[in-house]
Amino acid sequence: MRKTLLLLLPLIIGCSIASAQKNDIDSLTKAYKKNRQDTTLVQLLDDKAIESELQTNTDSGLLHTRQALAISRKIRYKKGEVQSLADMANFLNERGDLPGALKVTFEVLPIAAEIKDYATLSECYNTLGLTYSTLKNDAKALEYYRKGLEITLQKHLDVQTIVESNNLSRQFLDMNQLDSALWYTNKAYALSLKKHLLLDVGFLIRNFGIIEYKKGNYARAADFFRKSAAQKPTLLNHYLQGEDYRRMAEAYQKLNKIDSCIYCAKIAYQQAQIERNPNLIMLTTSLLTDVFRKKNDYKQAYDYQQIMLKAQDSLFNQQKTLQVQNLTFSEQQRQDALKASVIAYQNKVRFFTLIGILGVAVLIVLILWYSNNARKRANHLLHAQKEEIAAQRDDLEQAYSDLKTTQAQLVQREKMASLGELTAGIAHEIQNPLNFVNNFSEVNTELIDEMEQEITKGDLAEVQAIAQNIKENQQKISQHGKRADFIVKGMLLHSRNNTGDRQLTNINVLADEFFKLSYHGLRAKDKSFNAEMTTNFDENVPQITIVQQDIGRVFLNLFNNAFYAVNQKSKTAGTGYKPEVTVSTSVENGQVIIKVKDNGMGIPDAVKEKIMQPFFTTKPTGEGTGLGLSLTYDIVVKGHGGSIAVDTKEGQFTEFIVTLPLS
């Protein structure tokens, strides 16, 4: 099956992949000409460098990335700065400047993590893996490749998942672990076909060829390399052409097809020269050196050997190796320096010991002098440390005071934010009872007019019927007026800063009111949002004594989080997804149980234990304060002696269970 798919791949790819990169650049060019935005120019320069020049013109590519970096830093565009630095590291790695690639990559890693640019973060790990793979540090290469793959899988970055899987496969090939290499290649290949991401499929076909080569199946290996070289993305890439023809040459060498071997090796060398890739030049010229030596053509063997040695020197000269070691093992150097200082101190002690042997008198004088100076230094150091500790204590006390003030302000801000969301829902909910009051008032006015006419006619039966209708309408007016009054009182209670008085409350009614208010609050901000609201209230739940506005805040926080979760999932889940939030109540073991469940994104296990902590939030910056669930926990547990728990499965559902005592 896999072989059939490989034969069909050139037809599957068609013209779309060959023109995809050009279309992206053209669209960005048109966008920049239209809006003249610096951010668009940065993206255009970076995309042009990576998509058009990474494998063809590293000098021009580096120039474009440096221009993009300068613009990004000038306008303080962090995302552009991160992308430009990551692209620069790619170019440096491609040119064989391994120390430069490492330096830039280590510089960009913390910035990418800070702004949560996961695509660039995985790209940096990939660059580190490539660099350490070139340096033959297999453990480090695998470590960084796996870090990159973990991010791409978590964030569903399919293109970079294929790249990371391919590089892991190549690393295992270098380590002769063929089963692992085949596993990662098959995974990447299946994902490429499933998602129609065929731009890098030549890499995967090449991996199948390398595996066959290492198994000794040289004819099948050459066939795979030939198919890889025929891919349109490969035809446009000097490095990939060179790599495929180099490996074809190695396979033909094993098959003793010397002329085919030399032909392919020379093509590979030409592509490597255009690419200016010292590693590929070194490998191809090494192969040509070996082949011509066996053909007794020592002149050509010597010429290619000199080119190989020059390329090898440019890639692995002593200065670059030392620079890499300085970047990677700076901590080890610090430890070595510390050990050297200890050794120096020990040598000094030995020196004074030897001097002391010259005479007891001289020894005593030196010891007393040394001890006195050491005591003075120790006293001086102790005094300085005390002053520093005192200053740090004062700074810490001030910082703690500032932190408490800030926390109090954030808590108040969270309360006011929830009040705003509540008000948006009230604006919709209070309209319904007011409409009823207005409508029945108008009907009663008309009925009174009719009743006056019937009184004039003397029709007592009709007068009594109209009076009964007026009475029924008045009861409805009273009912809906009380409902509006309840909503307004709830808003007033929610807006107060103090905890309020405890009072008997129907928990079903309170939950139902805030359920609707939360839904309409979100609808007020996003008219396109819809969700199914399901209530399963146990009518046998008795009234309990609570602080209404505090428990109202609890409900509002839980409902808001539930609706937010299903709303976020609805944006990516497709048309088959139906958002639903369910609230239910029950009585168990002398306690009221309130459950709020949604079929949203769920909560990852890694952060499940942190969600009740103050200032911790999983929402994007600006969309959450991290105080909602913290306040909820304090109100339920500390304020009402209850408990709150969460049951969740990432990507499927979240259910909060609130328990309140009956007494």
Side-chain angles (χ1 to χ4, degrees):
M1 178 64 180
R2 188 181 72 197
K3 184 176 180 181
T4 304
L5 288 172
L6 288 173
L7 293 172
L8 292 174
L9 267 175
L11 297 176
I12 295 173
I13 294 174
C15 298
S16 61
I17 290 178
S19 62
Q21 296 173 345
K22 185 177 184 302
N23 289 340
D24 289 341
I25 295 173
D26 289 345
S27 63
L28 281 171
T29 303
K30 291 177 181 178
Y32 178 67
K33 289 180 178 178
K34 183 178 180 180
N35 58 35
R36 293 291 175 178
Q37 293 290 325
D38 287 337
T39 53
T40 306
L41 178 57
V42 169
Q43 187 178 355
L44 176 61
L45 289 169
D46 281 331
D47 285 3
K48 184 176 181 181
I50 289 298
E51 294 177 6
S52 302
E53 299 164 340
L54 180 60
Q55 307 293 344
T56 59
N57 191 341
T58 54
D59 289 339
S60 181
L62 268 175
L63 176 62
H64 284 139
T65 57
R66 289 189 174 112
Q67 289 173 342
L69 178 62
I71 296 171
S72 298
R73 286 176 170 171
K74 181 179 179 181
I75 64 175
R76 298 182 180 180
Y77 179 36
K78 279 290 185 182
K79 183 173 177 60
E81 178 182 356
V82 163
Q83 187 59 58
S84 299
L85 285 170
D87 292 345
M88 188 182 298
N90 265 326
F91 278 104
L92 292 171
N93 180 279
E94 189 69 23
R95 294 181 66 177
D97 187 356
L98 305 186
L102 280 180
K103 183 178 183 298
V104 174
T105 305
F106 285 134
E107 178 183 350
V108 73
L109 267 176
I111 308 175
E114 178 186 353
I115 65 173
K116 298 181 179 179
D117 187 346
Y118 298 108
T120 303
L121 200 60
S122 67
E123 182 182 342
C124 290
Y125 285 132
N126 185 63
T127 301
L128 289 174
L130 289 169
T131 304
Y132 281 109
S133 178
T134 304
L135 292 169
K136 307 303 180 185
N137 190 334
D138 297 334
K140 280 285 186 182
L142 286 175
E143 175 188 347
Y144 286 118
Y145 284 146
R146 283 169 172 155
K147 284 183 177 180
L149 182 61
E150 181 180 357
I151 292 174
T152 62
L153 290 173
Q154 287 178 352
K155 304 302 176 181
H156 306 291
L157 305 173
D158 295 331
V159 173
Q160 289 179 263
T161 296
I162 294 170
V163 173
E164 295 290 355
S165 299
N166 169 69
N167 286 338
L168 272 167
S169 175
R170 292 295 299 273
Q171 186 60 39
F172 281 117
L173 283 172
D174 291 343
M175 299 165 65
N176 284 319
Q177 297 183 20
L178 303 186
D179 290 340
S180 297
L182 183 61
W183 190 88
Y184 280 104
T185 301
N186 280 330
K187 283 287 184 181
Y189 187 72
L191 181 61
S192 296
L193 297 186
K194 179 180 178 182
K195 299 292 186 177
H196 303 288
L197 300 171
L198 305 177
L199 188 62
D200 296 323
V201 76
F203 289 99
L204 306 175
I205 299 173
R206 187 177 302 107
N207 288 352
F208 289 130
I210 298 172
I211 292 170
E212 294 296 337
Y213 180 89
K214 287 181 175 287
K215 288 182 178 180
N217 302 325
Y218 304 119
R220 282 179 55 80
D223 188 47
F224 276 118
F225 297 140
R226 193 179 304 108
K227 290 186 177 77
S228 174
Q231 301 303 309
K232 287 192 176 182
T234 307
L235 290 171
L236 302 173
N237 189 310
H238 298 302
Y239 169 76
L240 299 181
Q241 281 285 295
E243 182 69 6
D244 282 328
Y245 275 98
R246 178 184 71 83
R247 292 189 179 277
M248 265 191 277
E250 289 179 344
Y252 286 132
Q253 184 185 31
K254 293 291 185 180
L255 293 169
N256 203 29
K257 296 182 178 181
I258 303 303
D259 291 338
S260 297
C261 171
I262 293 174
Y263 172 77
C264 292
K266 285 186 175 181
I267 293 178
Y269 174 58
Q270 291 171 359
Q271 297 296 320
Q273 283 183 307
I274 297 172
E275 174 62 17
R276 290 195 244 176
N277 186 304
N279 188 53
L280 187 55
I281 291 173
M282 180 180 68
L283 293 173
T284 53
T285 52
S286 175
L287 176 61
L288 287 167
T289 299
D290 186 53
V291 172
F292 280 116
R293 184 185 294 117
K294 289 180 180 178
K295 288 188 67 175
N296 296 323
D297 188 344
Y298 296 109
K299 181 182 184 306
Q300 290 202 63
Y302 175 79
D303 292 340
Y304 282 116
Q305 184 182 48
Q306 295 306 306
I307 298 172
M308 177 196 71
L309 293 174
K310 184 178 180 181
Q312 188 178 45
D313 181 64
S314 70
L315 187 62
F316 295 108
N317 66 59
Q318 184 179 12
Q319 181 182 1
K320 289 184 178 179
T321 303
L322 288 174
Q323 289 174 352
V324 172
Q325 290 175 343
N326 286 336
L327 287 169
T328 312
F329 303 110
S330 59
E331 178 61 21
Q332 182 63 45
Q333 291 176 339
R334 191 182 68 82
Q335 294 291 341
D336 292 341
L338 183 61
K339 291 179 181 178
S341 66
V342 172
I343 293 172
Y345 174 78
Q346 292 173 342
N347 290 336
K348 185 183 292 186
V349 171
R350 292 191 185 97
F351 173 76
F352 282 113
T353 303
L354 291 174
I355 294 297
I357 297 175
L358 297 176
V360 176
V362 176
L363 178 63
I364 293 174
V365 171
L366 290 176
I367 290 175
L368 290 175
W369 175 81
Y370 181 79
S371 298
N372 185 53
N373 283 330
R375 184 171 61 255
K376 288 180 179 179
R377 286 195 300 269
N379 289 337
H380 179 72
L381 179 61
L382 181 61
H383 180 70
Q385 288 176 341
K386 284 182 178 179
E387 291 181 347
E388 183 179 355
I389 291 171
Q392 290 176 348
R393 182 193 62 226
D394 293 340
D395 292 342
L396 185 60
E397 289 176 351
Q398 181 61 40
Y400 178 68
S401 176
D402 293 343
L403 179 61
K404 289 180 66 177
T405 302
T406 302
Q407 287 177 335
Q409 292 172 349
L410 287 173
V411 169
Q412 183 62 23
R413 185 183 302 172
E414 174 66 20
K415 291 180 180 178
M416 294 309 295
S418 64
L419 175 59
E421 293 170 350
L422 176 65
T423 304
I426 286 172
H428 181 279
E429 278 296 300
I430 203 171
Q431 189 64 41
N432 290 330
L434 287 178
N435 286 339
F436 276 107
V437 170
N438 292 332
N439 292 337
F440 282 118
S441 296
E442 292 175 1
V443 172
N444 275 0
T445 301
E446 295 174 359
L447 289 175
I448 291 172
D449 292 339
E450 291 180 15
M451 186 171 66
E452 289 175 347
Q453 295 174 6
E454 297 300 329
I455 291 173
T456 304
K457 294 177 182 180
D459 188 345
L460 183 60
E462 185 64 25
V463 170
Q464 289 177 340
I466 292 173
Q468 181 62 31
N469 286 338
I470 293 173
K471 183 178 180 180
E472 292 175 357
N473 288 346
Q474 189 61 35
Q475 288 175 345
K476 292 178 180 177
I477 290 173
S478 176
Q479 175 187 347
H480 290 288
K482 289 179 179 178
R483 172 169 170 75
D485 180 62
F486 176 84
I487 293 172
V488 172
K489 285 182 178 179
M491 180 180 70
L492 293 175
L493 288 172
H494 188 83
S495 65
R496 293 174 182 169
N497 289 327
N498 61 334
T499 58
D501 298 326
R502 293 177 181 265
Q503 51 188 297
L504 280 175
T505 304
N506 187 325
I507 204 72
N508 290 343
V509 174
L510 189 66
D512 187 53
E513 289 295 336
F514 278 95
F515 198 25
K516 295 174 182 176
L517 294 176
S518 174
Y519 176 72
H520 292 300
L522 184 55
R523 286 270 300 162
K525 293 188 289 186
D526 185 359
K527 298 297 184 185
S528 65
F529 171 68
N530 282 295
E532 183 174 348
M533 302 168 62
T534 305
T535 57
N536 297 315
F537 293 139
D538 185 350
E539 296 181 356
N540 296 321
V541 174
Q543 292 189 346
I544 60 175
T545 303
I546 59 172
V547 181
Q548 282 191 7
Q549 64 269 34
D550 285 352
I551 297 301
R553 284 185 180 129
V554 169
F555 286 149
L556 193 63
N557 284 331
L558 295 180
F559 295 148
N560 285 347
N561 285 345
F563 285 127
Y564 177 85
V566 299
N567 188 24
Q568 292 299 109
K569 186 174 181 179
S570 66
K571 295 177 181 178
T572 58
T575 56
Y577 172 66
K578 295 182 179 179
E580 182 180 6
V581 178
T582 304
V583 57
S584 61
T585 60
S586 61
V587 179
E588 298 177 13
N589 302 323
Q591 294 179 319
V592 176
I593 310 297
I594 306 103
K595 297 181 179 180
V596 179
K597 185 175 182 179
D598 66 76
N599 63 344
M601 302 298 292
I603 303 172
D605 291 337
V607 302
K608 181 179 175 183
E609 301 299 325
K610 303 178 182 178
I611 60 174
M612 300 292 179
Q613 296 177 4
F615 309 106
F616 179 83
T617 180
T618 58
K619 297 178 182 177
T621 302
E623 293 189 22
T625 61
L627 288 171
L629 287 177
S630 173
L631 291 174
T632 296
Y633 179 85
D634 288 344
I635 291 171
V636 172
V637 178
K638 299 178 182 179
H640 289 78
S643 64
I644 182 169
V646 61
D647 182 20
T648 182
K649 188 168 184 180
E650 187 173 2
Q652 296 187 17
F653 74 91
T654 299
E655 183 178 46
F656 282 92
I657 303 102
V658 176
T659 304
L660 296 173
L662 284 175
S663 58

